[in-house]
Amino acid sequence: MRILRRILVVAAVLVVVATAVGTGVYRWQRPMILTGTGYAAHNDCAVTEIGGRLDAASDLPANPIKSYLRYGSDGSAETTGSLLGVLAKQKAWYTKGFGCTLADERPRLGPASTVSADGNPFTHAPAPQSSAKLDAALARAFGKGLSASDAAALGTRAVVVVKDGKLVAERYAKGFDATTPQLGWSMSKSATALITGMLVQQGKVTLDDHGLRPEWKNDGRADITVEQLLRMTSGLEWDETYDLGTPITQMLYGESDMGAYVAGRPAEHKPGTVQEYSSGSTTLLCSVLAQRTGLGADLPRQTLFRALGLSSAVLEPDAAGTPVCSSYLWATPRDWATIGQFALQNGKWRGKQLLPEDWMKRSLEVEPVEKTDDPGYGMTWRVNVLPDGSMRWPELPKDTYYASGHDGQKVIVVPSQDLVVVRMGFTPDVDDEPSEVALVKEVIGAGAR
């Protein structure tokens, strides 16, 4: 009996120690785990509710703790993500017109303005009858000629071609069509620059505006301008690595007020001297624009979406009502093409000049900096001729520029060809750019009309 009692005492002590250690480790790692469960909840909600897809796990990038996550709708108003079904629970709430927002309770975002497709020439356009050459180019963009596994890895989901302002070709992967909204990830930044340009044209903001946040009043961050946020030269400390616990994942999946989180980052460089790619900069800018206009989460709908007739577009906000302008714009490929066409037309739409006439020219100017991690990045658009005079894509015309998003999203604009090419996909494991460059080259060679 004494031996048994000793064994039981030792076992009890071990359980207590193990529990204490486990609890300590969990408390230590909980902030990072919350980014994983937030990712799971938000993505499951958005892919299902906005994209109309049924398997979120196959639609978006892998998660480092994916095998331990549990997520999905519980039949009520929210989607919940958790670790092993119990720990670090996060909730994503769907609101019509605004998409999904991570919050403990349903966020109060106000009404979403109605956006009509009126004035958008592509929304209801009939499926185009493209030429044999264009059909062949699109087929190759979807992996024709590759092995089944390589085509699957390429993961093209949509291609839309607009030439001379007309829809001339399109193709979609199985399970997707012209009405399926797709996430543009960082192409959202280029749309944000267009929103900013519209507000500049309306006199509501200028590129030189500074003193953007009250907490910057007594330090050098007050010198940061709107233009520097667009150009990623704010100097705020940042890490764009998508991993647990980094600023980008903490912002997206662990903060209820993303603008405040980014504004709280310390200054690492003097504004305007170093270019460091930062999703935080764009979302911080939208917190400023949303506050200055008083439009809150409805900012994109009452500006760019309404003006262009982007009836499918949804730009999801955080719990504070700030549109997450760095990453969360969903739209059909045709609506993404509309955004590209608006840029191609230098902001003129239906006879009205909605952007300053020099806006796109300035957006495509790459300013000199002491250091950059993204050569050729202007005001959210990337250009083909790099600062050293070399060509990013020698196969394409010099005036080519583009918006780019995570896992192979592109809106490629070629002004000299009056051409916009949209490619959407899910390409986490291979380089998608050679396929996109070949596509645009072949479309130009096909002489689409």
Side-chain angles (χ1 to χ4, degrees), residues 88-112:
K89 285 188 176 182
Q90 290 240 57
K91 295 180 179 180
W93 303 81
Y94 174 72
T95 305
K96 186 176 180 180
F98 294 133
C100 298
T101 299
L102 287 174
D104 293 334
E105 299 179 352
R106 175 173 287 282
R108 297 180 180 180
L109 303 173

Side-chain angles (χ1 to χ4, degrees), residues 148-171:
S149 60
D150 286 346
L154 182 59
T156 305
R157 291 177 169 177
V159 171
V160 172
V161 179
V162 173
K163 173 72 173 176
D164 299 329
K166 297 179 181 179
L167 183 67
V168 297
E170 66 180 344
R171 180 169 173 169

Side-chain angles (χ1 to χ4, degrees), residues 144-436:
K144 184 176 181 179
L146 301 177
S147 68
S149 60
D150 286 346
L154 182 59
T156 305
R157 291 177 169 177
V159 171
V160 172
V161 179
V162 173
K163 173 72 173 176
D164 299 329
K166 297 179 181 179
L167 183 67
V168 297
E170 66 180 344
R171 180 169 173 169
Y172 300 93
K174 183 179 180 180
F176 297 84
D177 59 31
T179 66
T180 307
Q182 297 191 45
L183 179 58
W185 286 109
S186 285
M187 294 202 301
S188 309
K189 296 177 174 69
S190 301
T192 298
L194 300 177
I195 292 172
T196 306
M198 292 180 70
L199 296 177
V200 169
Q201 179 74 345
Q202 296 167 17
K204 296 181 179 179
V205 68
T206 75
L207 285 175
D208 294 329
D209 282 355
H210 57 282
L212 303 176
R213 294 284 302 198
E215 60 266 54
W216 295 351
K217 184 176 181 180
N218 297 315
D219 63 48
R221 295 176 298 178
D223 294 332
I224 297 170
T225 67
V226 167
E227 183 168 3
Q228 288 163 351
L229 290 176
L230 286 170
R231 292 188 179 278
M232 310 298 184
T233 57
S234 71
L236 294 176
E237 183 182 77
W238 194 255
D239 182 354
E240 192 73 11
T241 305
Y242 279 80
D243 203 352
L244 294 176
T246 58
I248 177 59
T249 54
Q250 178 63 27
M251 181 189 80
L252 291 178
Y253 307 118
E255 297 294 330
S256 60
D257 187 336
M258 298 187 195
Y261 171 73
V262 180
R265 303 296 297 175
E268 186 176 28
H269 306 286
K270 181 181 177 181
T273 62
V274 172
Q275 186 178 57
E276 182 177 30
Y277 188 83
S278 166
S279 290
S281 290
T282 317
T283 296
L284 172 58
L285 172 60
C286 269
S287 73
V288 173
L289 300 180
Q291 188 275 329
R292 290 208 175 176
T293 60
L295 296 177
D298 211 35
L299 170 68
R301 302 182 71 82
Q302 291 199 38
T303 53
L304 188 68
F305 297 0
R306 180 178 286 175
L308 304 190
L310 304 177
S311 56
S312 75
V314 173
L315 210 171
E316 300 173 282
D318 65 14
T322 296
V324 185
C325 292
S326 63
S327 314
Y328 283 169
L329 176 54
W330 294 74
T332 63
R334 287 188 177 194
D335 275 355
W336 281 111
T338 305
I339 291 171
Q341 187 66 28
F342 181 57
L344 175 62
Q345 294 174 188
N346 290 312
K348 192 170 185 178
W349 199 257
R350 302 182 70 187
K352 296 182 178 179
Q353 187 64 43
L354 302 181
L355 299 177
E357 291 186 357
D358 66 343
W359 184 263
M360 288 310 301
K361 179 178 181 296
R362 188 164 182 174
S363 295
L364 301 177
E365 292 173 349
V366 178
E367 294 192 341
V369 290
E370 296 173 4
K371 182 181 178 182
T372 179
D373 61 2
D374 199 342
Y377 190 88
M379 280 200 317
T380 77
W381 298 86
R382 291 180 175 87
V383 298
N384 200 17
V385 179
L386 301 178
D388 65 1
S390 64
M391 298 272 286
R392 186 191 302 271
W393 296 331
E395 306 92 328
L396 301 184
K398 289 184 176 181
D399 63 348
T400 301
Y401 63 92
Y402 67 103
S404 180
H406 195 46
D407 283 339
Q409 323 313 320
K410 294 286 193 302
V411 174
I412 300 173
V413 181
V414 188
S416 59
Q417 296 289 322
D418 202 1
L419 178 67
V420 176
V421 178
V422 173
R423 188 272 189 184
M424 309 295 292
F426 180 44
T427 316
D429 297 320
V430 299
D431 184 1
D432 53 278
E433 287 197 1
S435 173
E436 295 149 3

Side-chain angles (χ1 to χ4, degrees), residues 39-40 43-45 47-48 53-61 71:
Y39 165 102
N43 289 348
D44 186 86
C45 177
V47 167
T48 304
R53 303 280 291 166
L54 300 178
D55 184 6
S58 67
D59 265 34
L60 289 169
Y71 53 95

